[in-house]
Amino acid sequence: MNAVFEGIGASPRRKEDLRFISGRGNYTDDMNRPGQTYAIIKRSDRPHAKIIAIDTAAARAAPGVVAVYTSTDLAAIGGLPCGWQIHSKDGSPMAEPKHPILAEGKVRHVGDPIAVVIAETKQQARDAAELLHIDLEDLPSIATVTDAMKPGAPEVHDGIAGNQCYDWHLGDADAVAAAFKSAHKVVTLDLENNRLIPNAMEPRVALGDYDRFSGDYTLYTTSQNPHVIRLLMGAFVLGLPEHRLRVVAPDVGGGFGSKIYHYAEEAIVTWAAGKLARPVKWTADRSESFMSDAHGRDHVSTAQMAVDADGKFLAMKVHTVANMGAYLSTFAPAVPTYLYATLLAGTYTTPVIYVEVKAVFTNTVPVDAYRGAGRPEASFLVERLVDTVALELGMDRVDIRRRNFIPRDAFPYQTPVALQYDSGDYFATLDAAMKSADWAGFPARKAEAKARGKLRGIGISTYLEACGIAPSKLVGQLGARAGLYEVANVRVHPTGSISVFTGTHSHGQGHETTFAQLVADQLGVPLSQVDIVHGDTGKIPFGMGTYGSRSLAVGGSAMVKAMDKIIAKGKKIAAHLLEASANDIEFKNGVFSVAGTDRSKTLGEIALTAYVPHNYPIEEIEPGLDETAFYDPANFTFPGGCHICEVEIDPETGVTTIINFNAVDDVGRVVNPMIVEGQVQGGVAQGIGQALLENAAYDASGQLLSGSFMDYTMPRADDLSNITVGTENTMCTHNPLGSKGCGEVGAIGSPPAVIGAVCDALGIRHMNMPATPQKVWAIINGRPAA
Amino acid sequence: MYDFTYAKPASLAAATAALATEDAKAMAGGMTLIPVLKQRLNKPSVVVDLSGLGLTGITVTGDSVTIGAMTTHAAVAASAEVKRAIPALAALAGIIGDKEVRHRGTIGGSLANNDPAADYPAAALALGATITTSKRAIHADDYFQGMFTTALEADEIITSVSFPVPAKAAYEKFKNPASRYAMVGVFVAKGPAGTRVAITGAGQGGVFRHAGFEAALAANWSAAALTGVPTSDADLNSDIHASAEYRAHLCNVVARRAVAAAG
């Protein structure tokens, strides 16, 4: 047997790529149902206004129009639910204003849906939507958290004082106060984390279908988690039981978090399909995506670190205000709390930490998790603060990190902000990254650049994140309204080919390859014999979906558990056929054999026996070879590592060029090194985007200024440098694979390294993102920051 | 996109007649018009496609380069004759938009549209080009009349553009980081039309000549001659990517780089 190795650690080409790169993917907008109609959503162009009247008569009378709906037509169905409840310091639950499917009485952000027009063609729906007469009366409005908290600020939701959603805290305030009093020095840094617009390559699409004979609804949608949509929309919005509602998320072209949430358009098309007994399709255009996909980040913070004279961290205090936008998106409240504040220990032994987080409403698009979700905000704050401490103490940035790292032998390590890290070696990733980046050679490169009139800088980030979300019991205690286990169903067919049904969802990650490698490795079958099925509640038992770098650590672990059951059952069948005790049966490379003998049966033979049980221990076990596992993780996983970025700035123009980027991450067990490299590079590209290019710009009233690619700077290939990716892995100790996750590390670890490099080049303490040419030029020339 | 009638006339006379219809719109490469139509920002009665008129091709004589209005940017960029006669013009055509745009977009379309951040207007103005139309010949100095505004009449069609060959010329562009249009694009030229500097992307009124830079370079053709020569920010654009002050600064930096490139 000289078969090509395709198991854990191999880098076979991605099984899914042939259909993607040849244009044969099956995306939601590629799907069409007989008799299909088209929906156009009429959205607010005002940040805040009272709806005086909506006259739909002309639109209804327009050619081809099937229906026009406003909020009054939706009185019988619920608003969009929020999946996480946070309690304030004083024990009170967060303010949770209704998030209507279509605006009720007021519009609260540019892009807020007001009405839907459904017609025989998209063109007719668009024409009719222009005939809607919507009488709006402008109200005072706010876009920033600072303005939202000012006394007398306009209220986004009537009666929610100070626009405050919650005022939450974590940690030991008294211990921090005491440590601050006796510290050698307290270093303070004010910083912002800029708002981003995800911009997945495929805009959102929703197609609702209804079978009037069975009463079954089907929603085809661009989702990262079809079962979650079925639960949220079925139970909380439309009142449909699970067996009457099927949600299909076929090929999806990128999500980055923005396709986790249950959106109004999904509910509209599903409800309208039932009402009209015809399929209804809605496809976002790019401009709609800018103003209706959940945005990311948008924090304003003050961070303080108390240190001793040797640079040892004694205590940390953080105050953050997070922008929720106009309504609470599905998981929004959790992002600046449990996905952010719990990460503030970073890779360091800071013994006491206290963090206060206020979340406020503004007249902007709702903000929710975006690649990294809370953890990029935490790593940016921690790593920028560490650099600032080093600067103010006159210490080396690397030395101060080494001095404060959690030691190798301190794991499991309990932080003062609730998490317990299971494994890690921050010295190993630091050393490897410094070597890869030739840190020692930087002064010579800086001098050479200076001779050319350029400013060189180098930045470092020794970040940590928590992913593989999440233990259900723990998140339940923290306010989650769902469990976060994962489900796998492994079906060995009679001839030995295998279908694996997973509750995770692949929208670019390469699951069809990585998961197949797990099966090839554990069951000893060729990759070509394995098919991974995802994205359909009609096929998959259940699942919580893909986000939080959880698919391999949680979903893959569920597969391992299901395969364990397959092997255990196979041993019993083999024992029967080989006339041996099940305890004496070994399974290796796809073959069951009696230990110490040459008597054996292949997995294929066992499968055939299981489905054709003529000679079978039918008294002991059932026919068939089909097992399901629900896996609930014991803990989060804790990837971390070191990112080093080198930049060169043209002082005449303020343009920053990335010279090189080196990432060495600890992602636990790697199944497919090529896919890990791609995931990290993609994440780093997004992190560089946040650090240098991207910014969701609003004017003070809440008009979106960067509402298209003409003004929103998406990273392009020529904005990036070569990105060198390495790993120095320690194993996760609590899941069967040892894998930690790699989907978000790039976006989490990179922004502080980039900004650190820019600040190093400019010789300044800090600047907020993005470091655009105009801002850098203004700093160089002593202009007030733009 | 709203419904419209599509016409593809085979002669200038027929095209002119078609453009006489109220709300008629001429389309050259369509690189601006089609996106605008898709966004429903324009509702023409008839779109008059000029691609059936010929009007393509490049003629180089000893002292001028004449380019047919429907010649694509890619054709200009690839032309060995243009590269030889006015390398700066070929180089400019080669950095307009992206590859797809360069294979559809035309010089006539760009000049007729006169987008305030387009590249060709800077070349036309700095080189002192003559824009020949279905009715007359218009000197560049009389042609550009403000943002998206030109001397063209509603039914007037550009047929070709003629550039005097300069002794020295170069175009440098500082791109808007998001759109990649010119945030400040400077074309410098020294030749039969004199020493001329045209700036695109920066001005509220579209492309403009920079008298201060021209005087400094006329006296001393060198990048150093521009040091300290001011640009008033009074009439410059200001947006989220660049304040008027920053644009004024960039005018000087980019102009110096253009002069250095011109040699």
Side-chain angles (χ1 to χ4, degrees):
Chain A
M1 291 287 282
N2 286 315
V4 178
F5 176 63
E6 297 172 324
I8 293 175
S11 289
R13 286 188 181 173
R14 304 203 325 171
K15 295 174 78 167
E16 47 270 80
D17 283 352
L18 187 59
R19 74 175 188 274
F20 291 153
I21 64 176
S22 60
R24 300 303 295 266
N26 183 33
Y27 296 89
T28 307
D29 197 47
D30 294 326
M31 305 179 114
N32 294 294
R33 305 293 300 156
Q36 180 172 296
T37 61
Y38 295 83
I40 290 289
I41 310 283
K42 182 72 179 176
R43 298 177 186 278
S44 175
D45 57 0
R46 319 282 182 84
H48 197 194
K50 192 174 164 189
I51 301 171
I52 305 296
I54 304 174
D55 181 353
T56 60
R60 281 180 208 277
V65 170
V66 176
V68 178
Y69 299 119
T70 66
S71 67
T72 52
D73 300 296
L74 306 181
I77 68 175
L80 296 173
C82 182
W84 203 298
Q85 186 181 48
I86 297 295
H87 285 80
S88 287
K89 285 173 188 167
D90 62 6
S92 61
M94 66 185 187
E96 196 173 350
K98 185 177 181 185
H99 187 174
I101 304 291
L102 295 171
E104 293 176 357
K106 278 168 84 172
V107 290
R108 294 185 175 85
H109 69 86
V110 170
D112 207 357
I114 301 172
V116 56
V117 178
I118 299 168
E120 299 290 346
T121 70
K122 194 169 181 178
Q123 180 82 350
Q124 288 171 330
R126 224 182 261 285
D127 287 342
E130 291 184 359
L131 300 175
L132 288 167
H133 294 293
I134 299 171
D135 187 6
L136 296 176
E137 181 184 304
D138 284 324
L139 295 168
S141 53
I142 42 171
T144 66
V145 297
T146 312
D147 285 346
M149 294 195 304
K150 280 181 183 158
E155 286 182 353
V156 178
H157 295 275
D158 296 339
I160 296 184
N163 294 304
Q164 184 174 294
C165 176
Y166 54 76
D167 179 8
W168 175 90
H169 67 163
L170 180 70
D172 189 337
D174 294 339
V176 167
F180 271 44
K181 254 184 209 158
S182 59
H184 166 69
K185 192 175 175 69
V186 174
V187 175
T188 300
L189 179 67
D190 293 320
L191 74 178
E192 293 177 12
N193 205 285
N194 46 325
R195 177 187 279 243
L196 303 175
I197 301 176
N199 287 316
M201 195 180 289
E202 179 203 23
R204 288 188 298 115
V205 184
L207 166 59
D209 199 1
Y210 175 70
D211 182 328
R212 75 173 88 177
F213 302 105
S214 65
D216 287 348
Y217 289 81
T218 304
L219 169 66
Y220 304 89
T221 183
T222 49
S223 176
Q224 301 177 213
N225 32 237
H227 288 87
V228 174
I229 301 305
R230 185 181 66 172
L231 179 68
L232 292 173
M233 186 175 80
F236 297 98
V237 183
L238 301 183
L240 296 173
E242 283 91 339
H243 70 295
R244 291 273 81 95
L245 174 59
R246 175 178 166 217
V247 177
V248 181
D251 284 333
V252 172
F256 312 110
S258 70
K259 292 173 181 166
I260 297 171
Y261 323 115
H262 176 35
Y263 286 97
E265 297 85 1
E266 294 171 320
I268 289 170
V269 298
T270 308
W271 175 83
K275 196 88 176 157
L276 302 171
R278 290 183 67 179
V280 181
K281 182 193 267 187
W282 168 79
T283 303
D285 60 31
R286 187 57 71 178
S287 306
E288 262 184 306
S289 301
F290 274 91
M291 60 171 108
S292 72
D293 292 2
H295 291 181
R297 321 276 193 258
D298 204 343
H299 284 195
V300 176
S301 298
T302 299
Q304 294 182 290
M305 185 76 88
V307 289
D308 71 12
D310 298 325
K312 192 86 181 157
F313 304 157
L314 303 176
M316 185 184 184
K317 187 175 173 182
V318 175
H319 183 272
T320 292
V321 187
N323 196 337
M324 295 282 102
Y327 304 99
L328 291 178
S329 177
T330 310
F331 291 109
V335 176
T337 49
Y338 293 107
L339 293 176
Y340 165 72
T342 52
L343 273 299
L344 291 171
T347 49
Y348 311 109
T349 54
T350 316
V352 285
I353 296 174
Y354 179 65
V355 51
E356 289 176 294
V357 179
K358 282 186 184 174
V360 299
F361 295 105
T362 61
N363 295 110
T364 62
V365 173
V367 178
D368 206 327
Y370 167 62
R371 201 171 193 171
R375 292 151 288 158
E377 296 90 316
S379 73
F380 186 69
L381 180 141
V382 172
E383 294 301 304
R384 292 303 305 135
L385 182 59
V386 169
D387 274 6
T388 309
V389 170
L391 189 72
E392 296 204 357
L393 292 182
M395 288 182 64
D396 179 76
R397 285 176 287 172
V398 175
D399 288 347
I400 201 167
R401 284 177 163 83
R402 286 189 203 278
R403 191 162 300 187
N404 287 285
F405 273 162
I406 296 162
R408 290 187 177 95
D409 59 3
F411 296 92
Y413 178 80
Q414 178 64 49
T415 75
V417 275
L419 297 177
Q420 188 184 78
Y421 304 162
D422 61 335
S423 65
D425 183 346
Y426 313 128
F427 297 91
T429 47
L430 173 70
D431 290 343
M434 288 177 70
K435 192 174 167 199
S436 176
D438 186 20
W439 181 274
F442 176 73
R445 298 195 294 276
K446 187 180 176 80
E448 184 276 331
K450 194 177 176 189
R452 288 185 284 109
K454 300 288 197 272
L455 307 172
R456 264 224 189 191
I458 195 165
I460 187 166
S461 155
T462 50
Y463 75 97
L464 173 127
E465 67 132 329
C467 62
I469 58 174
S472 295
K473 184 178 175 184
L474 175 64
V475 296
Q477 289 164 355
L478 303 180
R481 288 165 168 161
L484 285 167
Y485 50 84
E486 198 44 82
V487 185
N489 170 221
V490 176
R491 185 171 300 163
V492 183
H493 300 294
T495 64
S497 65
I498 298 168
S499 294
V500 178
F501 300 84
T502 173
T504 65
H505 186 278
S506 187
H507 31 279
Q509 294 89 340
H511 290 178
E512 290 169 42
T513 306
T514 306
F515 285 151
Q517 287 180 255
L518 287 189
V519 178
D521 201 272
Q522 194 172 347
L523 296 184
V525 296
L527 212 55
S528 59
Q529 209 168 310
V530 184
D531 202 24
I532 304 297
V533 181
H534 65 91
D536 188 343
T537 64
K539 295 178 180 169
I540 295 136
F542 202 73
M544 297 309 295
T546 286
Y547 39 81
S549 306
R550 70 191 301 275
S551 299
L552 182 60
V554 189
S557 293
M559 271 172 220
V560 170
K561 297 284 188 188
M563 287 189 284
D564 286 346
K565 294 184 187 178
I566 294 282
I567 293 168
K569 185 170 182 180
K571 282 182 176 176
K572 288 181 187 168
I573 300 168
H576 177 85
L577 294 177
L578 298 168
E579 297 178 336
S581 158
N583 293 332
D584 294 334
I585 302 292
E586 292 175 341
F587 179 72
K588 202 178 167 191
N589 297 330
V591 177
F592 294 91
S593 56
V594 182
T597 76
D598 60 357
R599 287 185 297 142
S600 65
K601 292 283 178 189
T602 65
L603 178 65
E605 290 170 319
I606 295 299
L608 189 63
T609 305
Y611 288 95
V612 188
H614 297 161
N615 176 15
Y616 196 81
I618 201 80
E619 304 79 15
E620 292 172 51
I621 51 175
E622 296 168 7
L625 200 53
D626 185 330
E627 297 288 348
T628 298
F630 282 58
Y631 175 78
D632 201 281
N635 192 356
F636 291 87
T637 60
F638 300 97
C642 179
H643 289 188
I644 296 175
C645 178
E646 195 164 323
V647 303
E648 198 166 283
I649 293 172
D650 175 355
E652 277 197 321
T653 59
V655 170
T656 300
T657 304
I658 306 268
I659 302 296
N660 57 56
F661 196 102
N662 285 272
V664 176
D665 301 292
D666 174 358
V667 297
R669 172 121 30 234
V670 171
V671 175
N672 185 315
M674 175 191 73
I675 289 180
V676 168
E677 186 180 12
Q679 283 283 318
V680 174
Q681 288 179 333
V684 168
Q686 281 176 307
I688 290 172
Q690 168 161 32
L692 295 185
L693 307 166
E694 298 182 50
N695 193 43
Y698 278 96
D699 74 7
S701 77
Q703 276 295 343
L704 183 58
L705 301 176
S706 55
S708 80
F709 289 131
M710 291 294 280
D711 284 307
Y712 187 87
T713 313
M714 282 302 280
R716 303 190 196 193
D718 64 358
D719 290 314
L720 307 172
S721 68
N722 200 25
I723 298 167
T724 306
V725 176
T727 56
E728 284 290 329
N729 298 310
T730 63
M731 295 302 118
C732 168
T733 61
H734 58 78
N735 71 39
L737 282 166
S739 297
K740 298 183 177 182
C742 70
E744 296 163 297
V745 294
I748 294 168
S750 58
V754 179
I755 290 297
V758 172
C759 292
D760 183 49
L762 296 175
I764 60 170
R765 190 173 184 261
H766 176 68
M767 76 176 291
N768 283 319
M769 302 182 285
T772 61
Q774 169 167 243
K775 273 163 76 174
V776 170
W777 174 80
I779 288 168
I780 291 170
N781 290 281
R783 301 294 198 280
Chain B
M1 200 177 281
Y2 296 108
D3 287 349
F4 54 81
T5 305
Y6 172 79
K8 189 176 175 183
S11 71
L12 264 180
T16 304
L19 285 171
T21 316
E22 194 175 354
D23 294 326
K25 202 82 190 164
M27 181 172 79
M31 294 297 90
T32 300
L33 182 65
I34 291 172
V36 162
L37 292 178
K38 284 167 78 172
Q39 291 175 74
R40 296 189 159 209
L41 294 173
N42 202 308
K43 195 177 180 177
S45 55
V46 53
V47 168
V48 183
D49 183 347
L50 305 180
S51 67
L53 304 181
L55 302 182
T56 56
I58 296 165
T59 311
V60 177
T61 63
D63 55 5
S64 75
V65 171
T66 302
I67 301 174
M70 290 297 288
T71 308
T72 63
H73 312 322
V76 174
S79 163
E81 287 181 292
V82 178
K83 282 184 194 170
R84 205 161 36 240
I86 316 180
L89 189 62
L92 174 148
I95 58 167
I96 297 172
D98 54 27
K99 193 174 268 190
E100 290 77 4
V101 166
R102 291 195 290 275
H103 278 86
R104 289 291 310 168
T106 67
I107 187 169
S110 173
L111 291 174
N113 189 47
N114 192 21
D115 186 299
D119 299 299
Y120 265 133
L125 191 58
L127 292 170
T130 298
I131 292 117
T132 304
T133 75
S134 51
K135 298 187 176 183
R136 55 191 165 143
I138 311 170
H139 192 271
D141 286 341
D142 305 318
Y143 177 81
F144 299 103
Q145 301 190 349
M147 188 182 286
F148 295 110
T149 310
T150 69
L152 291 177
E153 292 165 12
D155 61 348
E156 191 170 12
I157 298 166
I158 299 176
T159 54
S160 68
V161 187
S162 188
F163 298 90
V165 173
K168 292 182 174 188
Y171 179 65
E172 286 286 320
K173 171 159 67 169
F174 189 97
K175 294 174 184 173
N176 176 307
S179 71
R180 302 285 176 102
Y181 274 83
M183 201 152 84
V184 173
V186 182
F187 201 109
V188 297
K190 182 180 178 183
T195 298
R196 294 166 67 109
V197 178
I199 300 183
T200 187
Q204 288 176 11
V207 67
F208 66 93
R209 285 174 62 185
H210 196 300
F213 289 177
E214 289 183 355
L217 291 174
N220 172 14
W221 180 267
S222 73
L226 295 174
T227 304
V229 179
T231 301
S232 165
D233 60 16
D235 297 321
L236 299 189
N237 289 318
S238 185
D239 56 34
I240 57 175
H241 302 287
S243 65
E245 185 195 14
Y246 180 51
R247 272 193 169 84
H249 166 77
L250 286 177
C251 286
N252 192 288
V253 174
V254 178
R256 277 189 280 123
R257 290 179 183 185
V259 173

